[in-house]
Amino acid sequence: MKEEKKPVIIYGGSFDPPHKGHLALAAAALRQLKPSALYFVPGFRTPFKDSRPVPFAGRKAMLEAALAASGLAGRPEIKISSYEARLGRVVYTYETLEYFRRLHPGAPLYFLMGSDCLAGFKGWKRWRSILKNAGLLAGLRPGHSHGRGVPFTALKGRFPRVASSGLRAELFLGDKPRGLHAPVLKLLEERGLYLGRERALLKKM
């Protein structure tokens, strides 16, 4: 009898910066599905945002710091993929899933997202192709629409109401958001990310 392959989870996003909500979703997906692999896939640029994120190397370093702080570092199933960043353009989710489908033939594929993405899911490019290639995994947060008519598997657990856009606003103002792990804050201060260098220059002036 042929043994069934373990699931593979794709976690796409800007991760700009990676926060406690991202890591809580990943931890819940690992517990619930016990996958052979969970890929964090930081995008080059998201189709729904005009601004350029921190370069891939910086976001990868922050992800590694967040994984270490959350106790997930060192797990062999967790990987950070450079697939989208390497292409140097906007990469749509359906393309990313096609890539990982080729990489893991025959394995059940899942795309992990926050519940805030579900409401607008049918506006994603070739969303039917996404559903054909992968099941959706979502961590439900209070106050977000769950997307009518979009099939998904809900993750068990409670997930913090935190968003990268709000965190960036706090960082621009020089604050230290609670939604970020301490090693991530230390790293972005050392590298002068999110206007850190500009604020330091203004203080000197």
Side-chain angles (χ1 to χ4, degrees):
M1 186 176 178
K2 192 175 180 181
E3 187 179 351
E4 285 190 15
K5 292 187 176 182
K6 286 186 174 183
V8 171
I9 299 172
I10 312 305
Y11 194 1
S14 58
F15 303 108
D16 186 33
H19 54 65
K20 292 179 180 178
H22 291 138
L23 278 295
L25 277 180
L30 289 169
R31 285 193 302 269
Q32 195 162 320
L33 268 71
K34 298 177 174 52
S36 63
L38 187 155
Y39 290 93
F40 285 87
V41 189
F44 175 74
R45 189 192 294 179
T46 170
F48 299 107
K49 297 173 186 174
D50 293 327
S51 60
R52 285 182 179 270
V54 167
F56 173 77
R59 286 178 289 146
K60 182 182 179 184
M62 287 190 287
L63 264 174
E64 288 169 344
L67 286 165
S70 63
L72 295 178
R75 293 185 59 157
E77 65 269 43
I78 293 182
K79 308 169 195 303
I80 300 174
S81 171
S82 63
Y83 167 69
E84 291 191 11
R86 195 169 62 238
L87 293 179
R89 61 172 175 83
V90 170
V91 182
Y92 294 95
T93 299
Y94 79 88
E95 297 177 273
T96 300
L97 290 173
E98 287 172 356
Y99 167 77
F100 282 101
R101 169 62 63 211
R102 294 191 297 271
L103 204 61
H104 295 277
L109 217 58
Y110 288 88
F111 186 78
L112 177 59
M113 61 170 64
S115 58
D116 52 327
C117 296
L118 283 173
F121 177 74
K122 288 187 177 180
W124 291 21
K125 192 161 187 172
R126 299 192 188 176
W127 62 269
R128 290 183 179 85
S129 174
I130 295 172
L131 294 178
K132 183 180 177 181
N133 271 307
L136 301 183
L137 281 177
L140 303 183
R141 291 188 294 178
H144 284 292
S145 168
H146 299 161
R148 291 183 180 178
V150 179
F152 69 96
T153 299
L155 291 173
K156 297 172 184 174
R158 299 180 68 182
F159 305 100
R161 297 184 66 175
V162 56
S164 293
S165 56
L167 295 174
R168 287 196 300 275
E170 291 183 66
L171 290 168
F172 289 152
L173 296 173
D175 295 335
K176 295 185 177 181
R178 288 185 176 184
L180 295 179
H181 297 89
V184 174
L185 279 168
K186 183 181 178 183
L187 184 69
L188 63 88
E189 286 174 359
E190 289 173 353
R191 297 196 177 191
L193 303 176
Y194 305 109
L195 297 185
R197 291 191 181 94
E198 288 82 353
R199 282 196 307 274
L201 180 62
L202 286 171
K203 283 180 181 178
K204 285 181 182 178
M205 293 170 65

